[in-house]
Every structure is written in structure tokens, then in C-alpha cells.
Amino acid sequence: MWELKEYRIAGSIGEAVAMMRRGPGKGVYIAGGTDLFLFPPACDYVVDINHVGMSNIARTPDGDLFIGAAATLHDIATCPLVTGFAGGLVSAAAAHCGNRPVRTTATIGGNLCNALPSADLAPALLALDAVCYIADEDSQESLPLEEFFTGPRRTVLDGRLLVGIALSAASGGWRAAARRLTRSAEDIALVQVAVALEIDGDRVGAARIALGSVAPVPMRAMLAEALVEGELIANLDPDRLADAAAIAAGECEPIDDHRASAEYRREMVGVLTRRLLASVLAGSTDTSPGTDNEGGAA
Amino acid sequence: MKIVVKLNGRNREWEAAPGATLLSVLRDGPQEPRMTSVKRGCETGDCGACTVLLDGQPVNSCVVAAARAHGHAVTTIEGLAGDPLMTALQAALVEHAAVQCGYCSPGMLVSLYHLLKECRAAGTTPGDHAIREALSGNLCRCTGYVKPVAAATAVAATLAAVGRAEAGAR
């Protein structure tokens, strides 16, 4: 039983932040609540943000994709605006999270604000240059998603509210693919890799390689990206891709735990990065969950 | 705190602790009648024994705040008794020997009911993958999954046949 003193229901974004700041004691925002009820944090009150108008998914006139922080994983997995964006990279990540009843209430904001190193949506969003919109009582701020996470279960928020995530229209046309290694489909990921490439004629424009479960926070392998970005596709032979994959494996900072060793995780970052780069360059947008541990046979 | 819900079609007022889950309020009360079809299993959103419909969508009531249901509709098996689709599903589970201890059955039935209702509205027939996906949040440690999937497949086939007959009669 979660010993809460008060359940506050906010009617607007401003009211939600005010309710959070008001005290007394410690408060937590709640949307779907599927993570909070697993490990109820010690706090005095929660602020329900289900009724503040943050569950929308929309394309702006400029073609950017905006996903409200209270949009559910089921909505994100099935909304045509998301399934049709960058090969459906984000919707596939949402579809592989938890099970159907969890996805009914679990939200993208909760997945990000819970800030686990294995957050299911983080690699896909990082690979598409996601920008976070954050509200305070009377101001708003936006910042790149890679600056949002400050450590395991820690973010920059400090009482402020994540309002939503925006992906630029340009990234909607990127080719992308992702893999998520797990022991069983529902388990927390051992290793996550998402790759997105802007294909500009015979050349790669932007290149993004995002990793999850292999560092204190979801991260980008920027040194590896630099080896691919701006290159002629003809120059990206298997040796070059293997080099990039090895660099990505060097960039991550995995730990040993009961799910996998750091050594295995690092090895798999290399294997998956190499395969995903190759498959994206070949035009495939495979976002299958990868629950078969086939990486071990590489 | 006071929570106003539409439970199985009827307006109800609950008195619940701020940190109460939907499962605890439905199953343990204090208000009567208690919805004992809603089983307490893992309480971590994994096993699906507590699956109910919130505004027609399946949720694990063990990881949903009772207060989240304020102003919304909650449906349990009790509210679907006599519903033709639910009756057909229940009969099919029995017929296919998909029920053993029965602890997972209400959750499975809610998940399958939601799937078939959604497919019927969309004019589609769920295949093996869709049925397994719908049951992905319902663990069974007795019969396993082959028999429940066979039962759902049979009901889906009947619904498709009825749909074709109705279309032909028009």
C-alpha cells in the first residue's frame, strides 16, 4: 500500500506545477502510474496530470511531430502520425514496452521521467534528435533529450513538468532501425541500440547511434556517429561499419548485474550497431524486438 | 478521497485512500458489492489476473490508481455477465479445456473480449498473432496458452461467419 496523504488532480499545466510546488512535503507527478505502483516513492502527495491536455499527438504546420508527455504507449504504438514517422521507430519502441494493459495507461512522459538507463523509448527518441518541452509555473523551456537525463532515475526537472517531446520534420524522413535484446519479451532490455541515418543521394547526412541499458543514462555514441556522418555511402564498406561499431562499443559504460555482464553488453553494442548500420544503409527499417538473443551468434 | 465512477454501467461513489490501487478498491471494498472476479496476482502489472476495462481499454488494475478512475467507466466480468460475446468466450474456454484453476480466466476473458470487440468494430478477424498479442499480459501456469488461443480463434471464426451471413442477408 502506497502511503500517500493526498492525490491532487490538476486541471491545467500551470496548476499542476503550482500543486507540485505548494508542498508541504514531497510530491511526485502521476500519469499512468504503472512504474510508480511498482516501486512507490516515499512522498506525501501526487499530482495527477491526466487532465491537463498533455495526451495529444500532432503534426505541426511545419511537419514536426509533437507527442504530449501524457500520450499513452498504446496511442504512440498505433497512431498513424507516429507509425509513419522515420520508419515507425518510435511507435515500434512503444509497442515493445510492457504488455497491452500496461500500454493502455503507461505514458511516454513516465517512461522518460522515470529515467531508467533502460527506458524503452529513449534510444529511438535520441536517434531522432528529440527535444523536450518543460514547463515551470510561469515559464517554458526546451532542451535536447540528451541533456534531460542526469543519472539513473534522475532528470533536470526538479519539480518542473515535462510537457512533451518534439521531433523535427526533417528527422521524419530518416531511415532508422532498432534492436532491443532481452531475456524474455517483457523483461527490461539488456542492450538497446537505435540507428537513424539521413540519406541524401549517394551520401549519408545526419547519422545517429543511440544506446540504452549500457550507461548510467540513455546516450548517443557520438564518436561512432562522426565516422558515418557526411560520408559517401560507397565508402561505408563493412570494414568502416565495423570500425564505427567498435567505437560505439568503446563509448558505452555498461555495468555487470544479474541480467548480463558488462562485457556481454559492450560486445552486443558492437554487434547490433554494425548490423543496424548495414541494414539501414541497405534500406531495411527493421524494428523487431530482438528477443531471440541472436546477437550471440555473430 | 471520494471517487465517482461508472462501474459496470452504474454510477458509484467510492471512499478510497489516496494511494489505493484500482484493484484494491474493486476487490477489497469497503464498498459492496466487491468485484471478486478481479484477482490479486503479482501486483506488478505482469500477470494480468487483475485486468479490467477502463473506458473500454484493458488495464492492469494493480498498477492503476483508484483515483485515476474518477469520472471514468470501469468494466469487470461481473458487468459483462450475459453479454453475448462474453458468453461465447466463456463457453469456448470451457469447451477447449482452457480453464484449470481459473485464477487467470477473468483477466484472459477481459483481454479477449476487448480484442474481439475491437476487431468487430473494425470489421476484421484477429489472427493467431493478434490473439497472442492480446493475451501477452495474461499469465497462466496451468493450461498454458495453446487452449485459450484455440478458444479465441474459434469464437473469432464464429463471429466472422455471423458477419458474412449478416452481410449476405442485407
Side-chain angles (χ1 to χ4, degrees):
Chain A
M1 176 77 174
W2 193 3
E3 298 295 339
L4 281 180
K5 293 196 183 82
E6 206 184 338
Y7 191 104
R8 300 174 181 170
I9 300 177
S12 69
I13 290 170
E15 189 186 19
V17 183
M19 281 176 160
M20 178 58 67
R21 297 280 196 218
R22 197 171 74 213
K26 192 175 174 302
V28 174
Y29 291 111
I30 186 168
T34 53
D35 276 326
L36 290 175
F37 278 102
L38 279 192
F39 302 107
C43 62
D44 301 286
Y45 57 92
V46 293
V47 177
D48 181 317
I49 52 157
N50 288 299
H51 308 282
V52 303
M54 285 187 354
S55 53
N56 54 323
I57 300 174
R59 290 299 279 270
T60 67
D62 298 335
D64 295 348
L65 178 64
F66 181 83
I67 304 175
T72 68
L73 299 184
H74 178 69
D75 285 346
I76 293 166
T78 55
C79 175
L81 293 179
V82 191
T83 57
F85 196 93
L89 188 70
V90 176
S91 52
H96 298 146
C97 193
N99 55 46
R100 177 63 179 84
V102 165
R103 292 193 294 271
T104 299
T105 51
T107 64
I108 182 173
N111 193 246
L112 297 175
C113 294
N114 206 33
L116 288 178
S118 58
D120 275 301
L121 273 77
L125 292 169
L126 284 175
L128 298 177
D129 284 355
V131 171
C132 309
Y133 285 84
I134 295 170
D136 208 332
E137 264 177 283
D138 38 31
S139 63
Q140 262 215 16
E141 179 192 4
S142 65
L143 83 169
L145 181 60
E146 48 273 45
E147 293 170 24
F148 179 77
F149 305 107
T150 54
R153 292 190 170 275
R154 289 210 315 273
T155 69
V156 297
L157 287 175
D158 190 28
R160 296 177 297 167
L161 179 63
L162 177 66
V163 174
I165 291 289
L167 302 170
S168 75
S171 68
W174 293 358
R175 272 198 224 155
R179 292 286 278 180
R180 172 179 186 270
L181 287 188
T182 59
R183 291 285 293 273
S184 68
E186 274 196 17
D187 199 8
I188 288 175
L190 303 171
V191 177
Q192 301 151 283
V193 182
V195 167
L197 302 178
E198 177 187 26
I199 304 296
D200 182 11
D202 57 356
R203 201 174 273 281
V204 171
R208 301 287 179 264
I209 300 168
L211 311 175
S213 310
V214 291
V217 295
M219 61 173 281
R220 275 174 53 192
M222 293 197 188
L223 298 175
E225 290 172 1
L227 216 63
V228 180
E229 190 156 278
E231 267 302 326
L232 279 170
I233 291 172
N235 290 344
L236 293 169
D237 56 22
D239 285 347
R240 186 65 171 271
L241 299 186
D243 288 347
I247 290 172
E251 285 183 79
C252 67
E253 310 161 45
I255 55 165
D256 290 310
D257 68 10
H258 59 282
R259 287 194 172 80
S261 66
E263 188 189 3
Y264 175 77
R265 288 188 157 107
R266 192 182 293 281
E267 183 78 18
M268 287 308 107
V269 165
V271 170
L272 295 180
T273 302
R274 179 170 51 75
R275 287 186 183 174
L276 288 168
L277 283 170
S279 74
V280 171
L281 285 168
S284 149
T285 53
D286 175 22
T287 49
S288 63
T291 55
D292 49 8
N293 268 359
E294 65 171 65
Chain B
M1 66 184 294
K2 198 173 87 174
I3 298 166
V4 180
V5 293
K6 185 162 259 187
L7 174 62
N8 293 330
R10 286 198 188 160
N11 289 321
R12 301 252 181 212
E13 237 180 73
W14 292 339
E15 190 52 47
T21 62
L22 183 56
L23 163 67
S24 68
V25 175
L26 284 169
R27 185 174 173 81
D28 306 332
Q31 53 284 319
E32 301 287 340
R34 299 183 188 192
M35 299 296 123
T36 51
S37 76
V38 188
K39 304 300 184 198
R40 176 170 277 114
C42 64
E43 292 189 86
T44 56
D46 290 301
C47 81
C50 68
T51 308
V52 301
L53 299 178
L54 180 64
D55 292 337
Q57 299 284 312
V59 299
N60 289 316
S61 59
C62 69
V63 287
V64 171
R68 173 70 202 274
H70 181 66
H72 295 272
V74 176
T75 309
T76 69
I77 290 276
E78 285 87 344
L80 296 170
D83 177 284
L85 175 56
M86 179 52 79
T87 303
L89 278 167
Q90 288 166 326
L93 281 194
V94 171
E95 211 170 291
H96 287 79
V99 177
Q100 213 172 89
C101 86
Y103 207 77
C104 71
S105 303
M108 279 203 178
L109 283 164
V110 167
S111 293
L112 291 174
Y113 179 87
H114 168 259
L115 171 73
L116 292 177
K117 191 114 176 154
E118 206 174 56
C119 286
R120 193 161 62 180
T124 59
T125 301
D128 196 62
H129 179 77
I131 291 170
R132 286 174 183 276
E133 181 69 33
L135 286 176
S136 66
N138 296 96
L139 301 187
C140 168
R141 299 288 79 160
C142 301
T143 75
Y145 307 98
V146 171
K147 290 170 179 179
V149 170
T153 305
V155 175
T158 308
L159 283 181
V162 169
R164 280 194 301 273
E166 281 174 359
R170 263 182 235 127

